[in-house]
Structure formats: C-alpha cells, structure tokens
Amino acid sequence: MTDEMIRAEGVSMRFCRGLETGGTLKQAFIDALSPARRAARRQHSDFWALRGVDFTVRRGEVLGLIGPNGTGKSTLLKLIAGVLKPTEGRIALGGTVCPMIELGTGFDLDLTARENIYLNGAILGYSRDFLARRFDEIVAFSELEDFLDAPLRGFSSGMTARLAFSIATVVEPEILIVDEILSVGDLAFQAKSEARMLRLIGGGTTVLYVSHALSSIRRLCHRVLWLEGGRVRAIGEADEICEKYEHAAQESVMNNE
Amino acid sequence: MSVTARLGALSARYAFLLQQLVLRDFKVKYKRSVLGVGWSLLYPLLTTAILSLVFSNVFRFSTPGVSYVAYLLTGLVFYNYFSEGSNLAMSSILANGSLIGKVYVPKAVFPLSKCLSSGINFLLSLLPLYLVLLVTGTGLCWQHIYLPWAVGCLFLFTLGVGLLLAAAAVFLRDIVYLYGVVLTLWMYLTPIMYDVSIISSPLLRAAIALNPLAQYIGFARTVLLLHRTPEAGQFALCALSAIGTLLVGLHIFRCNQDKFYYYM
C-alpha cells in the first residue's frame, strides 16, 4: 500500500552489554586464548532491547511512543533512522527520514554559525541548492542574524539549540523523528517551535514522537504505541492508551509503597 | 526511481557532505593561528632546514649527484602526508562516535574526508618543494607530468591504511597508541634522510624495497631529482601496492562498519 509510511515486522534488537566496556588489549588476549570463555561472556551479557515489535504508521499520522525509561523507545527510533540494523525482523519505509534525535550533534564549535548551518545541513542530508535557498529562512527562524559570523564557541546553550532546531525543521521530510526536543530555548521560542511542529504535522508529514510529557502526546498524536520491556504493551487511540498507561504507572507506584 | 538515478542522487548527496567535512577540517586546523595556512608552507621548510643541518653536517650524509636538501624534502613531504592522513583517518570514526550513533551517514566519509583534507596540506607543501628544486639548481623537466602517479598512489595507500586502522581502533583503542610507535619505525624504514645505498644488511634492504612509501618516494625522486621517466616496473609496483592496500582496507572497513555503534 502506498500510504503506509512505516512498517515494522517482528523487529528485535539484541545488544551485548559486555562489549561496550571491552575493547582493550588485555581482553582481546584473554578472548583469543580462550574462545569458550568469550562465548560464555557473550551469552551472559546478551540483552534484548526490543523483541518482536510490529506496527505500521500511515502517511500523515502522528504516532506517539511512550513507556518507562529503558524500554527501547530510543532504540526503535534509531532503527527507523537507519543508525542501527535490527537483529531480527525488518523495517520498511515509504519515504525520506529526518531524525531530530538530540539536536546539534555534529556542530563544530570552532566554526561560525553560518559555516555550521552548511555543515549540519550536509550531515542531515540536505543538498547544497536546498540550503542556499532556505538559508535566510533558517537564520530568520533562529533569530541569530547578528551572530552569523561569530564562532559557535561563544554561543549560549539556548542559542545553539535554537540554531539546531531551525536547521533540523526547515526541511519538510516525509517521516520526522522527534525525541523530546520541544523544550528548546526560551518561552517565546518554545511556542514558535511548537507552532512549526504543528505546521509540519498539518502538512502531511508522518511523525514519530517520543515524550514523557503525556499532555503533549495527547495534544499532538493520533495514535500511541506503549512499549514495555522491549515489547508492544498496547497500541491504539492516543487518549485511551495514555489513560491506561497513567493508570498502570499509578498502580506500580502504589504496589511499591 | 531507477537504480542508477537513485545511485546518482545518493552520491551527489554524500559528495556535498564530504566537501563540507573536508572544508571543516581544513578551516579548523589553522583557525586560531596568526600565520594560518602559511604553516602548511613553512612547516616542511623548517623541518627540512633542521634535518639537513643535522644530517649533512653532523652525520655527513650526502646524496651524490643530487641536492641533499631537495632529496630530503621530497621524502619528507610524502612521508608527512602519509603520517598525518593515516593518523587522522584512524581517529576519525572514534571522534565522530556521537554523530554515528544519531544520524545515518555512510561511515567511510569520515576517514575519506581526513585523507582529502590532509591532501590539501600536501598540495600546499609542494610549493616549498618546487621552491627548493629551483633554489638548489635541480630545475624542472617535462617528466614532472608523471608526478601525479606517485601522488595518486600515495593517496590510495594512505586511505587504505586509514580505513583499516579506523575500523581496528574502534574495537581496540590500544591501536591508537601502538600506531604512534609503528609510525616511528616506519619512518626509519623509509629512505627519507638517507639513501638506500648506505644500508648493508640485505634483510633491511628487502624490508625497504617492500615498503610502499619507499616505492612512491623513489618514484617521485626519479622524476624530480634525476629528471628520468620511471621504469614500467615502478609504475606497476606503485599502483599494485596502493590499490591492493585500498581494497584490503575497504573490505575490512565494510565488513565491520555495522558493528561500530556497539563499541562507541
């Protein structure tokens, strides 16, 4: 079907906890001398971040992702952005993806704001023509006209975030991935950035939105996917799932007391 | 979209990214220095001045028939490119770890951009080299048209080594420190300051003959200092070692790039 923008089929993702800290010469020697121990270490440290996740998102739909910390929300976003490849299952996309996971990655502090717009735009996959055409718009939205030729080193964190948001949202991608970024800059800029998000959503962009703020999930999302322990706990209409989720969270707090 | 159209769009997209990364590396390098790019010209001249003072006066090295300063600088400019390019390429994946974890970009652009931005430095350092060729009376000749062959081979070889090391360093950080030692050894196994004729051990001679850097430098010296056309065997050997190393490096990099994320 053409209006299906994201289809995840039986997506599982396995991480090896021990590996991230490994990578020293000593460990390599031990592994080389004793393959059996290496295999045991591997098996012991295996950890499934996602297990058999299925869902589809239609064109223009806004899907919210909720769930406790460490249940695989960010992993799922990374799989869809193409940064990770699933251990099992497959993900099919019907259009271009623009990841807005952590703004400003790839900025160079020694370069000026102007140079960073081009560098960051290139990293996000914009073409030279596109950047040249939309340059003024990016600058105007970020309200940093007076600082264009100053190196980023001197920028406040709010200014940097404003620049990053303006670069990331100038494009109208077919699939937009948003990981808790609406709380950028001061109050006026927050209102402006939410308006821009809403405009993108209204313009037919498919959005995957992760947030712990259920109020903004309810306001922005059509449907919600509730992840727990790497599995889909529930998927459906936003208000209904949010209510269930709140209920479950309250219950677990009471059980703990 | 057809496959070729898609491939075309893809390479155009990443060509722009590559260009931006190369530009960044080059701009940032001298951003806070007064002389700026002037250092790319001055640095090889100053090191050559020191080395030629030490080796021709203290150790009494000489290269009969050709200027020792020109001989030294030719080797140095080639070796410096390899050392800088492969070192920066080695660290490029680790340095961009946070980026690799967040946005999809073909990971080979990082080592490639480092080899290219070092290449700008290399091209700039050809200016003092030509200056020395003129000042020392070595002069120019039409055989210089063969020089790009040696430069191209040097680039491909450096990129191959850089890709290999970049992938290896992700899994084993010790490589970064180990490589510093390897580079020192490699420098002495490359006839930069001395002529191969002073080596008496056949084993060492064989090691130097198999050293690709020695091949490229030898090729460049044949052209620049002796004003001769290199032999067909020299052309072939240079290309073989360069393309072979690149293929090995590329293969190892591609086989492992999906695993980088877990080791960052």
Side-chain angles (χ1 to χ4, degrees):
Chain A
M1 257 176 76
T2 47
D3 70 339
E4 208 169 69
M5 292 303 278
I6 306 172
R7 166 181 279 276
E9 283 169 2
V11 171
S12 296
M13 188 71 214
R14 184 181 59 198
F15 288 107
C16 302
R17 263 177 298 202
L19 287 181
E20 283 117 43
T21 53
T24 65
L25 203 55
K26 183 179 153 198
Q27 198 62 57
F29 268 122
I30 296 173
D31 285 348
L33 291 175
S34 158
R37 192 178 296 174
R38 181 187 190 191
R41 190 165 63 87
R42 270 227 156 124
Q43 198 129 58
H44 186 68
S45 59
D46 271 5
F47 152 71
W48 291 88
L50 289 174
R51 208 121 207 209
V53 172
D54 296 293
F55 66 92
T56 56
V57 187
R58 289 186 307 276
R59 183 184 294 275
E61 194 175 30
V62 183
L63 180 76
L65 274 177
I66 57 173
N69 287 328
T71 47
K73 298 188 296 291
S74 296
T75 304
L76 188 57
L77 293 192
K78 284 180 179 179
L79 287 169
I80 290 165
V83 172
L84 289 175
K85 292 195 174 151
T87 317
E88 284 166 17
R90 52 179 241 110
I91 290 175
L93 300 175
T96 53
V97 186
C98 174
M100 295 209 316
I101 311 170
E102 279 176 60
L103 292 170
T105 339
F107 272 158
D108 193 302
L109 295 182
D110 283 322
L111 294 181
T112 64
R114 181 191 302 277
E115 289 164 334
N116 267 303
I117 291 178
Y118 278 95
L119 177 64
N120 205 249
I123 289 170
L124 292 177
Y126 304 170
S127 72
R128 180 200 314 276
D129 291 346
F130 179 83
L131 272 170
R133 261 183 292 137
R134 309 297 283 271
F135 186 84
D136 293 335
E137 190 188 330
I138 295 172
V139 175
F141 194 84
S142 68
E143 301 169 21
L144 293 169
E145 291 91 342
D146 298 339
F147 303 97
L148 260 188
D149 292 305
L152 226 58
R153 193 171 287 289
F155 279 33
S156 74
S157 54
M159 285 160 80
T160 313
R162 259 155 54 189
L163 184 64
F165 185 89
S166 310
I167 300 170
T169 55
V170 72
V171 74
E172 273 138 42
E174 289 165 279
I175 302 169
L176 185 67
I177 297 178
V178 187
D179 194 355
E180 300 246 41
I181 55 150
L182 289 183
S183 48
V184 155
D186 54 26
L187 275 179
F189 194 78
Q190 275 181 32
K192 210 167 119 180
S193 53
E194 184 164 329
R196 176 169 261 195
M197 287 295 308
L198 284 169
R199 208 195 69 209
L200 281 178
I201 292 168
T205 299
T206 307
V207 184
L208 266 183
Y209 180 47
V210 171
S211 180
H212 288 290
L214 288 184
S215 60
S216 77
I217 291 262
R218 280 188 158 136
R219 201 167 57 239
L220 294 172
C221 301
H222 303 126
R223 284 197 308 149
V224 167
L225 174 68
W226 173 6
L227 275 178
E228 198 152 317
R231 292 170 196 273
V232 178
R233 171 92 178 252
I235 183 165
E237 201 262 324
D239 281 325
E240 182 195 326
I241 304 289
C242 284
E243 209 160 293
K244 277 188 189 163
Y245 178 63
E246 273 173 330
H247 194 69
Q250 276 163 7
E251 229 166 49
S252 79
V253 169
M254 283 199 290
N255 286 344
N256 283 340
E257 283 169 356
Chain B
M1 225 192 315
S2 75
V3 178
T4 44
R6 194 167 271 196
L7 263 178
L10 211 68
S11 61
R13 174 182 163 174
Y14 295 122
F16 178 53
L17 172 62
L18 190 64
Q19 185 215 18
Q20 288 296 317
L21 288 173
V22 170
L23 221 60
R24 186 262 303 257
D25 291 339
F26 189 70
K27 278 183 191 161
V28 168
K29 182 162 185 186
Y30 296 118
K31 194 99 186 179
R32 290 176 153 200
S33 62
V34 179
L35 279 182
V37 165
W39 279 114
S40 285
L41 310 178
L42 218 54
Y43 185 78
L45 278 181
L46 291 176
T47 15
T48 304
I50 295 169
L51 287 174
S52 68
L53 267 177
V54 172
F55 284 97
S56 59
N57 294 328
V58 183
F59 295 109
R60 308 241 163 247
F61 278 18
S62 67
T63 40
V66 299
S67 147
Y68 182 65
V69 179
Y71 181 90
L72 188 62
L73 187 54
T74 311
L76 210 60
V77 161
F78 271 66
Y79 176 80
N80 280 348
Y81 170 73
F82 172 73
S83 156
E84 183 187 305
S86 62
N87 237 321
L88 290 174
M90 171 175 65
S91 314
S92 64
I93 296 293
L94 288 174
N96 288 292
S98 62
L99 197 63
I100 286 169
K102 271 148 207 153
V103 189
Y104 174 77
V105 280
K107 296 167 190 70
V109 300
F110 297 112
L112 181 59
S113 80
K114 292 295 180 190
C115 288
L116 286 173
S117 62
S118 300
I120 302 180
N121 268 328
F122 173 81
L123 292 180
L124 284 171
S125 63
L126 288 181
L127 284 173
L129 178 61
Y130 271 91
L131 185 74
V132 163
L133 288 181
L134 293 176
V135 169
T136 56
T138 310
L140 308 175
C141 63
W142 69 268
Q143 277 88 350
H144 280 229
I145 56 163
Y146 294 123
L147 191 64
W149 187 271
V151 175
C153 289
L154 176 72
F155 170 73
L156 297 180
F157 177 71
T158 306
L159 182 61
V161 173
L163 284 168
L164 181 89
L165 290 171
V170 171
F171 302 112
L172 203 63
R173 309 286 156 112
D174 307 50
I175 298 269
V176 177
Y177 306 102
L178 199 62
Y179 187 57
V181 182
V182 170
L183 268 181
T184 311
L185 178 68
W186 206 328
M187 185 177 84
Y188 286 103
L189 278 180
T190 308
I192 299 167
M193 297 160 249
Y194 58 85
D195 188 76
V196 199
S197 58
I198 67 159
I199 307 278
S200 50
S201 149
L203 197 72
L204 269 181
R205 271 191 182 223
I208 292 170
L210 287 175
N211 174 1
L213 288 181
Q215 295 166 5
Y216 313 143
I217 293 173
F219 187 103
R221 280 175 179 154
T222 311
V223 169
L224 298 179
L225 308 178
L226 304 177
H227 297 186
R228 267 194 245 133
T229 303
E231 290 158 31
Q234 265 179 297
F235 276 96
L237 217 59
C238 287
L240 199 70
S241 63
I243 293 169
T245 309
L246 179 65
L247 289 179
V248 170
L250 207 56
H251 180 73
I252 290 176
F253 190 87
R254 289 184 57 166
C255 286
N256 290 293
Q257 59 179 353
D258 288 340
K259 285 185 263 166
F260 289 169
Y261 176 84
Y262 309 111
Y263 293 84
M264 293 296 181

